[in-house]
Amino acid sequence: MKLTFWGAAQQVTGSMFLLETDDYRILIDCGSDFDLDEIGRKTRYEEQKSVFPFDASLINTVLLTHAHIDHSGNIPNLYKYGFEGRVVCTEPTLALTSLLLKDAANLHQKRLNARMNGSSKKRGKKKKEVPMDYFVEKNVNEALDNFVPVAFGQRYRIADNVTIVFYAAGHLLGAAHIVLEVYEDGQKKRICFSGDIGRSNYPLLIDPQEIPQVDYLICESTYGNRLHEDQGSPVEALADVIKRTCIDIPGRLIIPSFSVGRTQALLYTLNKIYMDHSFPYLKVFSDSPLAHSSTKVYQRHVRMLNKEARTFQDDNDMLFDFDNLIYLESSDASKAVSNYNEPCIIISSSGMVQGGRVEQHVEANIGNPYATILMIGYASEGTLGWRLLNGQDTISIRGKQLPVLANIEKIDVFSGHGDQNDLLKFIKIQDPEKLKGIFLVHGEQQSMADFQSKIQENGYKSVEIPLRGHTYEL
């Protein structure tokens, strides 16, 4: 049996791992790679003549840990390049992946239209090549027709010699650790792919489930060398920020937030704040159609959320809707918020302030000393969110150089990733004498190296940090 690391190898995004038995090929995750710049992406595609470094038609089954686009975003392309099999995941993952892939297809279509219009206006100019990883809605629909939902804890046979079980990962609604049992040469081997590991006591989600003893563990390491700074509850942390930025002074609070997962945790927490505190009813604008659709998925799957959320639902009927919440659907409604002069809260995507409607809110308020931009999660190096967190005096938005007069704050209670202690807790379920190997993925190189040392200090001897394209015999 062979395992090849085709993504999230010494980088965070692009999760994609190929497990091969004698006669069966399983792809675990098929995510978009955001760590490659355009030059690197073009070079890779020219070398491969494809989005993938393997023949997509030879893959038998895809297993999807969760919906986030760095894990699911290349699935439509897999079908474009010849894949004809199933994608197996949990039911909430199917629902959220459908939203995210259709949103990505819509963005690709807009960019394609812009390229075509640009080419037609500039006669004689060489037509720009269409990026190989672009897909449109028909590609998404073809993929979704082949998704197979499987419940947590259900043993599911994907081949004569391979069964799988999904365990809740606590990172996102429907997110799973995947444990495979492979029978080969008269032996049973267990391999676990962690997906993204959540944290205990996170808003809405159940805690990560323990997995059984395995032979090989592929473990994410996003926070492999970091601990979460904020130890208080999300309600306490967010209420404190709102009081200081919108009530003590008549200010405006802008929260960049990912549409799927993070925004739902925020809205639920705001609902609790307004239920439990004597806060003035400030207007809360949720400015992301994708977030609105995702929130409906969370509401439909309320019985898969944690006990606290289920009790809140039973007591109050709605997890996310409250009197002062306004969903902004159209781009015109989004722009009009700039003319709202009362203290308010604006939640908008993307979480790293890289594209999306949040850019216009940051642009409109970055010069306002009564505005606060609250970062609530990880921002990759080079993104606008990263530049804000690093205290730059000026930032460039849409070609304009703007002074940073707004207040920039950060809390990490809403981060959906487990920190180093959470990751170690996940690994230490395994007996060091029985675990044959750990492979670290989905992390920056320094994070992986530091986490590798930490794991080895705890008695685990075989801890690998694979390179992209590296194959291991299991």
Side-chain angles (χ1 to χ4, degrees), residues 45-46 48-51 77 80-81 130-134:
Y45 293 164
E46 286 175 346
Q48 297 169 182
K49 308 298 183 186
S50 167
V51 172
N77 284 319
K80 264 179 61 177
Y81 284 87
V130 175
M132 296 176 72
D133 56 350
Y134 273 24

Side-chain angles (χ1 to χ4, degrees), residues 393-414:
D393 295 331
T394 61
I395 56 170
S396 177
I397 303 179
R398 308 184 196 195
K400 291 183 282 188
Q401 202 70 22
L402 302 171
V404 178
L405 301 179
N407 304 290
I408 312 298
E409 294 201 20
K410 176 186 178 182
I411 56 175
D412 65 2
V413 290
F414 291 100

Side-chain angles (χ1 to χ4, degrees), residues 149-169:
V150 173
F152 286 119
Q154 176 185 342
R155 187 173 297 277
Y156 183 80
R157 187 173 298 279
I158 61 172
D160 290 341
N161 63 332
V162 184
T163 60
I164 63 167
V165 179
F166 290 128
Y167 296 85

Side-chain angles (χ1 to χ4, degrees), residues 196-425:
D196 287 357
I197 298 169
R199 51 197 297 195
S200 298
N201 303 314
Y202 190 77
L204 298 171
L205 302 178
I206 63 175
D207 292 349
Q209 289 182 320
E210 292 189 0
I211 60 167
Q213 180 66 46
V214 297
D215 298 297
Y216 298 95
L217 178 60
I218 294 83
C219 185
E220 69 115 326
S221 54
T222 313
Y223 275 63
N225 61 356
R226 284 174 284 174
L227 299 176
H228 290 304
E229 298 170 6
D230 297 302
Q231 300 302 316
S233 73
V235 167
E236 292 169 343
L238 188 56
D240 173 68
V241 175
I242 295 170
K243 183 177 182 299
R244 289 187 290 100
T245 61
C246 295
I247 297 172
D248 293 346
I249 61 170
R252 170 176 290 204
L253 179 62
I254 299 161
I255 309 178
S257 178
F258 294 113
S259 298
V260 181
R262 203 70 54 84
T263 293
Q264 288 71 45
L266 270 173
L267 293 177
Y268 170 59
T269 303
L270 283 165
N271 199 358
K272 291 173 72 176
I273 287 172
Y274 290 121
M275 286 285 185
D276 299 337
H277 291 72
S278 56
F279 270 68
Y281 263 33
L282 303 167
K283 291 283 189 195
V284 177
F285 298 101
S286 180
D287 189 15
S288 166
L290 177 58
H292 195 185
S293 300
S294 303
T295 300
K296 293 177 182 177
V297 173
Y298 269 69
Q299 187 70 55
R300 286 203 308 269
H301 292 88
V302 64
R303 293 302 155 195
M304 298 184 72
L305 302 177
N306 62 30
K307 183 178 180 181
E308 181 185 58
R310 296 195 306 271
T311 300
F312 190 92
Q313 165 74 24
D314 291 340
D315 292 344
N316 301 287
D317 294 329
M318 292 297 289
L319 287 172
F320 306 106
D321 283 342
F322 41 95
D323 290 343
N324 48 325
L325 173 63
I326 299 171
Y327 287 100
L328 304 175
E329 294 293 345
S330 70
S331 57
D332 287 342
S334 173
K335 293 172 184 175
V337 172
S338 296
N339 298 320
Y340 183 79
N341 294 320
E342 298 297 320
C344 64
I345 302 168
I346 301 170
I347 303 168
S348 187
S349 62
S350 72
M352 297 187 191
V353 202
Q354 194 70 8
R357 292 183 180 181
V358 73
E359 277 196 2
Q360 74 187 27
H361 296 300
V362 171
E363 180 182 354
N365 292 278
I366 196 68
N368 178 6
Y370 288 95
T372 299
I373 299 168
L374 176 65
M375 300 297 296
I376 60 170
Y378 175 79
S380 296
E381 184 173 348
T383 61
L384 183 53
W386 179 84
R387 296 199 295 273
L388 290 170
L389 285 171
N390 279 269
Q392 293 190 4
D393 295 331
T394 61
I395 56 170
S396 177
I397 303 179
R398 308 184 196 195
K400 291 183 282 188
Q401 202 70 22
L402 302 171
V404 178
L405 301 179
N407 304 290
I408 312 298
E409 294 201 20
K410 176 186 178 182
I411 56 175
D412 65 2
V413 290
F414 291 100
S415 171
H417 279 278
D419 65 8
Q420 186 186 81
N421 287 337
D422 295 307
L423 299 178
L424 278 174
K425 179 181 177 182

